[in-house]
Amino acid sequence: MDAIQLPAEPVQQHLCYHCGEECRDEIIHLDAHEFCCDGCSLVYDLLKENDLCSYYNIDGARGISPDKSYFKGKYDYLDLPDVAEKLLEFTDGKLSRVNWLVPKMHCSSCIWLLEQMHRLNPAIRSSVVNFPEKKVRITYDAQKISLSELASLLTQVGYEPYISLNDLENKQLSKWNRNRLYKIGISGFAFGNIMMLSFPEYFHLGETTSDRELGTLFSLLNIALALPVFFYCASDFFKSAWAALRGRYLNIDAPIALALLSVMLTSLYQIISQTGPGYLDSLTGAVFFMLIGRYFQDKTYAGISFDRDYKSYFPVAVTVLNNGTEARKPVTELEKQDRILVRNEELIPADAVLLSARAMIDYSFVSGEAVPVERKKGDTIYAGGKQTGPAIELEVLRPVSQSYLTQLWNNDTFTREKEDQNQTLAAKINRYFSVIVMGIALVTFLIWLIKFHDPETAFRAFTTTLLVACPCALLLSSTFTNGNLLSLFGKNRFYPKNAHAIERLSHVDAVVFDKTGTITQSNEAEIQFIGRDLTENELVMVKMLAMQSSHPLSRMLVKKLAGIVASKRVLTDFSETGGAGMRALWGKREVKLGSATWVGASVYEELHSNASHVYVSIEDEICGYFAIKSKYRPELPETLSALQKAGFETYLLSGDKPTDQHMLAPLFGNESNLLFRQTPKEKLRFIENLQNGRKKNVLMVGDGLNDAGALRQSNVGLAVSDDINNFSPSCDAIVEGSQLALLPAYIRLARSGQRIIRTSFAISLIYNIAGLSFAVFGKLSPVIAAILMPVSTITIVAFTTVASNVAARKWIKN
């Protein structure tokens, strides 16, 4: 009797609870979970200790195993002063910030964990992920955690930062994109050779025995060529899909991975059983064309990012001192050793050495910490800080990086609540589209298999349905449209913060204007002093105090007093209150400039009612006031008329007394739309009432100085800049003062952008529906389905580019 062969017991597979990899060596048990190594158990322990185990429940992949090459002391070199100086974006001695490349970042769970680093170590104040560039910007307390400890912590949780000598030279290798090129090259080589070896099958040759033997050899060669394509070139699709499945959801790569697996298994079955030649040409062609499509998308997106970071020109200028004379210079033209003058509340645009005796720097723009930091002569002042006190002189250390200003602006944490990534149309599509596509493919497969008894057509229809219905172009429509719009707005000297600002601008239905410096010309005014004669020394005091402020009225006074020689005496105890005025000590004498209330005046209130009044008080003596009659922008009536004809409500908020009220009322509709003597808090409350009480989407147009609260509260905050360094984190867009007349056109262009996005969605859907109509009937080959994917993407990019350029030419008249 023959021995009965018992079936082998299935081998139980042990998967690591953290990284999901198979536990091949000793299994580590902790909290009823299994881990493949000490590193994974350590990461789990860190997460548990900080109550972060919800990480394992969110959509996305499990964690990443820590780098096994890590050893204690690996990053000690980062604490060397010369190395740290080149890696840090900024430091004030207490808080520091670094921006590191983290190549292992790959999914939503990675983003979540990296942005929760402050819970792993309280010394980390914040961490913001830039997913497209695989970077994380970390702000941390340098007195509590060193740079080497920070790098070690990242490595321990599986996200080792990529640091090389190129980083120390402010260069970076593009090594992470080369893999995509290698994969394109290998898949293209395999695709071409498999097609050549498949010519006999295409022409139904090979009837003789020798030909059939040669056909078998060719089939085996095709398998050898297809294996590296399947396991290496297509690996990104499988990794992404598997990570999503472990997170219990489907992403756009899941249908693609399933289609490639089906084609591979079907081809192997046909070749081994000699029932057919398989579809290895379609498999390799699909991978080749999909990789080309994604590479094209990456390059296009990178091009948009490059334009956004380096080619956009913010209308920000700074005062440069040349042999004692002042001149204005765009920040992009600053050079090493330039001497610059930075006034109260102005942004420091470049790393520089302090030449003045003392400075109080507010780094809230960079770190979120609002407490000013004292700096002394000779200290390095990092870009992004804001001077809070008398004007200071600085010597530029490094030319300004325009991309750095862009990053500062976009990483502002105070305006995040305006944006909700989960509510975007792309996010909603991604949530349901893959499930629908999988359902259609499965139903198609079952109908062909069960009803028509045609397994070959069933597999072909199944795979082509999954390939052709990829929503890549659908999801990228808004990305490419808004990317091109950002560039077009920039060329026309309107600078939105990001794509979300464009979308919110398209929904605006009420526009609120500030007065001084916004609808008035900052550099032109009629100025007259009313009061007792000021001595030359008193005029010097007034000029020196006015020079410390970047407020439009202060700059007009300085221009008026151009003949007064400025003193080198340092003002002390300087302070400036928004909407009121400023004060300082000249020696022991107190000098005040500002409103009547600020200096305690009431005598001259009724005189010169059509002008703004800047009162002068020296040692509590009211000396008089400067009557400043500003000139309004000549395009103001046309701008307001165009807005009102388009259905916008227009309002004026001003901190000044009601000058020119009778002249302005007809322009804004009626006197009820004009509000004067408004404090910054009152401006904010007015915007809030429009939003909550009247359900308006408000565009606030201000100069970014006394309007920070209102700009932040509004749906879109627009800062008007006239050659001044008042770059504000509270605004969502910046416009050059000379371009304010184009405001109605900018809004129309933003609305056209939304229509272009919806139209591009429709075009992408037409592609998908047309492709599906052929795929479900089994009339589409996998390789043609794969070609349609990049073609649809190219079509979307071409359409959005052409359409947005046409819209810009239509609405914006240069």
Side-chain angles (χ1 to χ4, degrees):
M1 179 181 295
D2 294 335
I4 299 175
Q5 183 71 33
L6 295 176
E9 293 185 8
V11 178
Q12 183 179 0
Q13 191 177 31
H14 298 274
L15 299 179
C16 177
Y17 182 72
H18 175 70
C19 69
E21 299 293 333
E22 183 180 356
C23 300
R24 295 183 176 86
D25 301 319
E26 181 184 356
I27 301 174
I28 298 172
H29 296 274
L30 179 64
D31 286 348
H33 301 302
E34 297 177 341
F35 299 91
C36 65
C37 63
D38 290 328
C40 286
S41 63
L42 173 63
V43 177
Y44 169 80
D45 204 34
L46 277 172
L47 294 175
K48 181 185 176 184
E49 181 182 337
N50 291 274
D51 194 26
L52 291 174
C53 283
S54 54
Y55 168 69
Y56 297 107
N57 299 324
I58 67 173
D59 288 345
R62 296 287 192 184
I64 299 175
S65 299
D67 190 344
K68 293 180 174 56
S69 66
Y70 171 74
F71 57 89
K72 188 175 181 180
K74 180 177 181 178
Y75 298 108
D76 286 352
Y77 70 94
L78 296 180
D79 295 329
L80 296 173
D82 291 344
V83 175
E85 181 183 357
K86 293 177 180 178
L87 290 178
L88 291 175
E89 283 193 337
F90 104 99
T91 182
D92 60 8
K94 297 179 181 178
L95 287 180
S96 298
R97 192 172 72 183
V98 67
N99 191 19
W100 270 332
L101 176 68
V102 182
K104 288 188 177 181
M105 184 196 316
H106 70 283
C107 66
S108 60
S109 60
C110 300
I111 298 172
W112 187 86
L113 179 58
L114 286 169
E115 293 198 338
Q116 302 296 319
M117 294 296 293
H118 63 280
R119 295 172 66 180
L120 293 178
N121 191 319
I124 297 174
R125 297 298 181 87
S126 68
S127 50
V128 180
V129 169
N130 182 340
F131 186 69
E133 296 184 9
K134 301 293 180 71
K135 288 184 177 180
V136 57
R137 176 176 281 105
I138 301 175
T139 302
Y140 64 96
D141 189 336
Q143 296 178 335
K144 295 181 179 179
I145 184 173
S146 66
L147 197 58
S148 62
E149 291 170 338
L150 181 63
S152 297
L153 179 60
L154 280 171
T155 303
Q156 287 170 10
V157 295
Y159 298 97
E160 181 183 14
Y162 176 71
I163 305 170
S164 72
L165 292 176
N166 292 282
D167 297 294
L168 304 183
E169 298 172 2
N170 294 321
K171 299 177 182 178
Q172 282 192 348
L173 295 173
S174 58
K175 61 174 288 186
W176 310 112
N177 288 327
R178 288 205 207 115
N179 286 336
R180 178 70 58 82
L181 293 174
Y182 296 154
K183 292 176 180 180
I184 290 174
I186 293 171
S187 58
F189 172 81
F191 174 49
N193 281 278
I194 289 175
M195 285 190 67
M196 182 180 68
L197 294 173
S198 300
F199 275 145
E201 298 291 343
Y202 296 155
F203 297 104
H204 304 287
L205 304 176
E207 298 298 329
T208 66
T209 303
S210 60
D211 286 343
R212 284 195 295 270
E213 291 175 353
L214 194 59
T216 303
L217 176 61
F218 284 175
S219 296
L220 294 175
L221 289 174
N222 286 345
I223 293 176
L225 288 167
L227 287 175
V229 175
F230 182 78
F231 287 105
Y232 173 66
C233 301
S235 59
D236 289 344
F237 301 109
F238 290 103
K239 287 178 182 177
S240 175
W242 178 241
L245 290 174
R246 287 192 305 186
R248 298 181 181 180
Y249 80 106
L250 294 176
N251 62 5
I252 61 176
D253 285 334
I256 296 173
L258 184 58
L260 295 176
L261 181 62
S262 300
V263 174
M264 188 66 180
L265 292 177
T266 302
S267 299
L268 290 175
Y269 170 77
Q270 288 187 1
I271 292 172
I272 293 172
S273 64
Q274 296 186 346
T275 56
Y279 303 101
L280 295 178
D281 52 347
S282 295
L283 171 74
T284 53
V287 174
F288 175 62
F289 287 113
M290 286 190 293
L291 288 174
I292 287 179
R294 295 209 170 180
Y295 182 76
F296 177 77
Q297 293 166 9
D298 291 345
K299 292 293 286 184
T300 305
Y301 190 85
I304 292 171
S305 300
F306 183 83
D307 287 343
R308 181 74 185 129
D309 285 346
Y310 293 97
K311 294 182 181 176
S312 61
Y313 165 65
F314 292 139
V316 180
V318 69
T319 301
V320 177
L321 300 175
N322 187 9
N323 296 325
T325 60
E326 295 184 10
R328 305 296 290 174
K329 192 173 187 179
V331 292
T332 48
E333 296 178 9
L334 282 178
E335 299 176 355
K336 187 176 180 180
Q337 297 184 339
D338 275 350
R339 288 197 170 197
I340 60 176
L341 183 72
V342 177
R343 295 182 173 85
N344 183 45
E345 294 299 309
E346 284 190 339
L347 182 77
I348 297 167
D351 294 347
V353 173
L354 181 63
L355 300 179
S356 299
R358 179 178 174 272
M360 294 297 290
I361 308 299
D362 177 3
Y363 277 118
S364 59
F365 199 172
V366 181
S367 64
E369 294 289 328
V371 180
V373 178
E374 183 176 359
R375 283 286 171 261
K376 296 180 179 179
K377 185 174 182 178
D379 288 348
T380 298
I381 310 292
Y382 285 85
K386 196 160 58 173
Q387 166 64 357
T388 57
I392 56 174
E393 289 187 29
L394 301 143
E395 182 177 308
V396 175
L397 276 177
R398 287 175 284 274
V400 63
S401 168
Q402 197 67 56
S403 64
Y404 184 67
L405 292 180
T406 307
Q407 291 164 2
L408 287 176
W409 197 17
N410 278 298
N411 286 331
D412 174 37
T413 57
F414 300 107
T415 55
R416 276 190 179 181
E417 64 272 15
K418 291 185 180 181
E419 300 157 7
D420 188 353
Q421 297 277 3
N422 293 324
Q423 296 304 314
T424 61
L425 183 58
K428 294 177 181 177
I429 291 173
N430 188 32
R431 199 174 302 152
Y432 303 110
F433 195 93
S434 296
V435 177
I436 295 172
V437 171
M438 295 281 282
I440 294 174
L442 183 60
V443 170
T444 301
F445 176 79
L446 293 175
I447 291 174
W448 279 105
L449 184 67
I450 297 173
K451 184 175 181 179
F452 296 105
H453 306 288
D454 189 346
E456 183 177 347
T457 304
F459 275 103
R460 184 168 64 248
F462 178 74
T463 55
T464 53
T465 297
L466 293 175
L467 288 174
V468 79
C470 173
C472 300
L474 195 66
L475 298 178
L476 288 169
S477 298
S478 58
T479 301
F480 290 126
T481 302
N482 286 324
N484 197 47
L485 283 177
L486 284 171
S487 176
L488 290 170
F489 275 122
K491 289 176 182 177
N492 290 279
R493 289 174 284 177
F494 180 92
Y495 311 94
K497 182 176 186 177
N498 49 36
H500 299 285
I502 296 176
E503 185 172 347
R504 293 197 304 275
L505 182 64
S506 69
H507 300 306
V508 162
D509 53 13
V511 184
V512 179
F513 291 87
D514 174 49
K515 179 173 176 271
T516 307
T518 302
I519 64 172
T520 62
Q521 293 177 310
S522 300
N523 297 320
E524 294 188 31
E526 298 175 5
I527 302 177
Q528 182 181 6
F529 183 74
I530 309 297
R532 71 167 178 81
D533 291 338
L534 296 175
T535 67
E536 185 173 349
N537 189 48
E538 288 172 336
L539 288 173
V540 172
M541 294 182 196
V542 171
K543 180 174 182 178
M544 289 300 297
L545 184 55
M547 284 176 64
Q548 314 309 312
S549 174
S550 54
H551 191 278
L553 295 180
S554 297
R555 286 159 44 221
M556 292 176 190
L557 277 181
V558 173
K559 187 176 180 180
K560 173 70 175 178
L561 300 174
I564 302 298
V565 180
S567 171
K568 293 186 178 180
R569 175 181 285 191
V570 178
L571 293 170
T572 58
D573 200 22
F574 173 88
S575 64
E576 183 173 14
T577 301
M582 54 187 164
R583 61 169 297 282
L585 292 179
W586 178 267
K588 294 183 178 180
R589 303 175 69 184
E590 184 183 55
V591 186
K592 286 185 176 181
L593 282 179
S595 65
T597 306
W598 177 251
V599 300
S602 59
V603 179
Y604 304 104
E605 184 64 29
E606 299 302 322
L607 300 177
H608 293 270
S609 59
N610 290 331
S612 298
H613 294 171
V614 177
Y615 284 80
V616 179
S617 167
I618 300 176
E619 288 281 55
D620 293 329
E621 177 197 353
I622 312 299
C623 303
Y625 63 87
F626 289 93
I628 303 176
K629 187 170 178 55
S630 301
K631 294 184 178 180
Y632 291 93
R633 298 187 186 276
E635 63 273 8
L636 179 63
E638 180 185 351
T639 301
L640 292 171
S641 176
L643 287 170
Q644 290 158 5
K645 286 180 181 178
F648 295 94
E649 295 183 8
T650 54
Y651 300 89
L652 176 70
L653 295 180
S654 175
D656 297 336
K657 64 190 187 70
T659 57
D660 298 325
Q661 184 168 359
H662 297 297
M663 186 273 286
L664 293 172
L667 298 180
F668 281 88
N670 54 64
E671 289 192 6
S672 64
N673 289 3
L674 309 177
L675 288 89
F676 294 92
R677 294 192 176 95
Q678 298 290 297
T679 65
K681 288 185 178 179
E682 288 172 335
K683 291 180 179 182
L684 187 151
R685 283 198 293 269
F686 179 81
I687 301 292
E688 195 173 25
N689 290 335
L690 280 179
Q691 293 170 322
N692 299 332
R694 301 189 56 195
K695 306 300 179 184
K696 293 292 183 180
N697 291 306
V698 181
L699 168 65
M700 173 67 195
V701 186
D703 59 9
L705 298 171
N706 298 325
D707 311 310
L711 289 169
R712 179 174 176 268
Q713 177 62 40
S714 61
N715 298 88
V716 180
L718 176 62
V720 179
S721 180
D722 276 309
D723 193 35
I724 179 174
N725 193 22
N726 64 347
F727 182 66
S728 172
S730 300
C731 64
D732 300 292
I734 300 173
V735 65
E736 291 188 20
S738 60
Q739 300 299 106
L740 191 60
L742 292 175
L743 183 58
Y746 295 138
I747 299 175
R748 291 191 186 102
L749 180 57
R751 290 180 173 178
S752 294
Q754 297 305 301
R755 287 194 294 270
I756 291 168
I757 291 173
R758 287 192 290 270
T759 306
S760 63
F761 277 149
I763 293 173
S764 185
L765 280 173
I766 291 171
Y767 259 105
N768 285 348
I769 292 171
L772 281 174
S773 64
F774 287 97
V776 296
F777 289 107
K779 297 180 179 179
L780 196 66
S781 70
V783 69
I784 297 300
I787 291 173
L788 284 177
M789 290 174 59
V791 168
S792 65
T793 300
I794 293 170
T795 303
I796 291 300
V797 173
F799 169 75
T800 56
T801 302
V802 172
S804 51
N805 277 283
V806 169
R809 284 196 296 270
K810 177 181 178 182
W811 296 119
I812 301 178
K813 309 295 183 183
N814 292 318

